[in-house]
C-alpha cells in the first residue's frame, strides 16, 4: 500500500550524518517550518507550540551550550565519544528548538477544570505532532534531520542566550542539514504484536 503521504512518512528518517549545504534556501526552510507548525493539530485549537529556528553561528552556539553542559556532567574518560556526537549535530546547517507555552496550558486548565489533568498531556501530544510535521515536510525537500532531547539540562542557558519567555518549556531539539549519508534499513516488529482489528 502506498500513497503520497505514507511515502513521505517512509522518507522521513533519522539522519545522523548531516552537512551544512542545504538543498534549499534558509528562507524556504523557515517557511516550511512555520507552515508545518501552524497546520499541526492542537487540542481546543490551543496552538501551544513555540519554535526557535537557528542558522549558522546561532546553530553553533546551541551545540556549544550542549557540549559545555555535558562536559560538566560526563566523566572525563567518556567525554570524547560525547563530544564526537555533539560535533556531528553541530556539522548540520541549523537547529529547531521546540517549546510548549505553559501559560496557554494553565489558562486552559483554569477555563476547563474538568479537563485540567489532560491539558499538559495534550500539550505534549501537540509538540510531538508539530515535530513530526516539520520533520516530514523537511524530508519532502530532501533536508535531513534528527531529533534530540538535551532538555532540561540546557534549558536555563537556552532561555538566557536567546532571551526567551520563561513560560516556554523546551521539549526537543531538531538538527537539520544536507544528507551526507542515508539512513540504514528500518526494521519493523510483527503487525500481530502492534495491531488488533475487530469487525
Amino acid at each position: 500500500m502506498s500513497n503520497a503521504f505514507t511515502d513521505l512518512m517512509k522518507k522521513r528518517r533519522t539522519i545522523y550524518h548531516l552537512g551544512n549545504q542545504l538543498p534549499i534556501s534558509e528562507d524556504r526552510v523557515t517557511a516550511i517550518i512555520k507552515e508545518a507548525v501552524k497546520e499541526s493539530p492542537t487540542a481546543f485549537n490551543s496552538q501551544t507550540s513555540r519554535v526557535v529556528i537557528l542558522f549558522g553561528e546561532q546553530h553553533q552556539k546551541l551545540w556549544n551550550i550542549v557540549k559545555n553542559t555535558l562536559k560538566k556532567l560526563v566523566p572525563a574518560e567518556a567525554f570524547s565519544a560525547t563530544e564526537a556526537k555533539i560535533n556531528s549535530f553541530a556539522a548540520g546547517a541549523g537547529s529547531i528548538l521546540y517549546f510548549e507555552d505553559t501559560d496557554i496550558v494553565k489558562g486552559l486548565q483554569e477555563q476547563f477544570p474538568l479537563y485540567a489533568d489532560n491539558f499538559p498531556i495534550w500539550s505534549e501530544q501537540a509538540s510531538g505532532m508539530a515535530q513530526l510535521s516539520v520533520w516530514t515536510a523537511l524530508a519532502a525537500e530532501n533536508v535531513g534531520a534528527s531529533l534530540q532531547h538535551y532538555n532540561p539540562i540546557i534549558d536555563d542557558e537556552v532561555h538566557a542566550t536567546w532571551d526567551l519567555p520563561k513560560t516556554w518549556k523546551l521539549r526537543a531539539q531538531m538538527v537539520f542539514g544536507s544528507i551526507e549519508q542515508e539512513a540504514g534499513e528500518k526494521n519493523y516488529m510483527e503487525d500481530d504484536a502492534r495491531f488488533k482489528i475487530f469487525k
Side-chain angles (χ1 to χ4, degrees):
M1 177 180 163
S2 179
N3 64 36
F5 179 73
T6 54
D7 286 346
L8 279 178
M9 294 286 286
K10 291 173 185 176
K11 189 173 182 178
R12 181 230 52 84
R13 297 293 306 281
T14 296
I15 305 296
Y16 290 112
H17 299 278
L18 294 167
N20 61 11
Q21 301 302 309
L22 289 167
I24 56 177
S25 70
E26 291 180 355
D27 286 347
R28 176 70 180 141
V29 170
T30 299
I32 288 168
I33 294 167
K34 286 181 176 180
E35 186 174 23
V37 171
K38 288 197 287 190
E39 296 303 332
S40 296
T42 57
F44 288 64
N45 193 30
S46 53
Q47 302 178 48
T48 49
S49 297
R50 303 289 180 265
V51 168
V52 172
I53 306 168
L54 306 172
F55 292 102
E57 290 181 7
Q58 298 300 313
H59 159 73
Q60 295 297 326
K61 192 180 292 185
L62 170 69
W63 296 106
N64 283 332
I65 289 170
V66 175
K67 189 187 301 183
N68 293 334
T69 301
L70 289 173
K71 195 168 189 178
K72 300 170 190 172
L73 303 173
V74 176
E77 63 274 14
F79 187 69
S80 61
T82 298
E83 185 174 30
K85 185 177 181 181
I86 301 308
N87 288 344
S88 74
F89 303 143
S95 298
I96 308 163
L97 304 179
Y98 293 92
F99 300 82
E100 284 293 297
D101 191 337
T102 58
D103 255 2
I104 303 294
V105 175
K106 288 176 183 173
L108 288 165
Q109 287 177 307
E110 292 167 3
Q111 189 177 356
F112 303 101
L114 187 63
Y115 303 112
D117 291 345
N118 286 325
F119 282 112
I121 298 168
W122 292 336
S123 169
E124 293 295 320
Q125 292 171 348
S127 183
M129 288 189 278
Q131 293 161 34
L132 178 61
S133 296
V134 169
W135 203 345
T136 306
L138 290 176
E141 300 279 351
N142 297 311
V143 176
S146 74
L147 190 65
Q148 307 301 319
H149 300 88
Y150 289 99
N151 42 292
I153 61 172
I154 63 170
D155 290 19
D156 291 343
E157 193 163 356
V158 163
H159 277 88
T161 300
W162 288 284
D163 192 25
L164 303 172
K166 291 297 184 186
T167 60
W168 289 19
K169 185 176 182 182
L170 184 60
R171 304 317 299 138
Q173 306 84 53
M174 183 179 286
V175 60
F176 61 87
S178 51
I179 300 172
E180 300 302 316
Q181 183 178 321
E182 296 285 346
E185 186 178 349
K186 185 173 181 177
N187 296 316
Y188 299 90
M189 65 189 297
E190 292 297 323
D191 283 358
D192 288 349
R194 300 187 78 177
F195 306 102
K196 293 187 184 296
I197 297 102
F198 301 94
K199 295 185 178 180

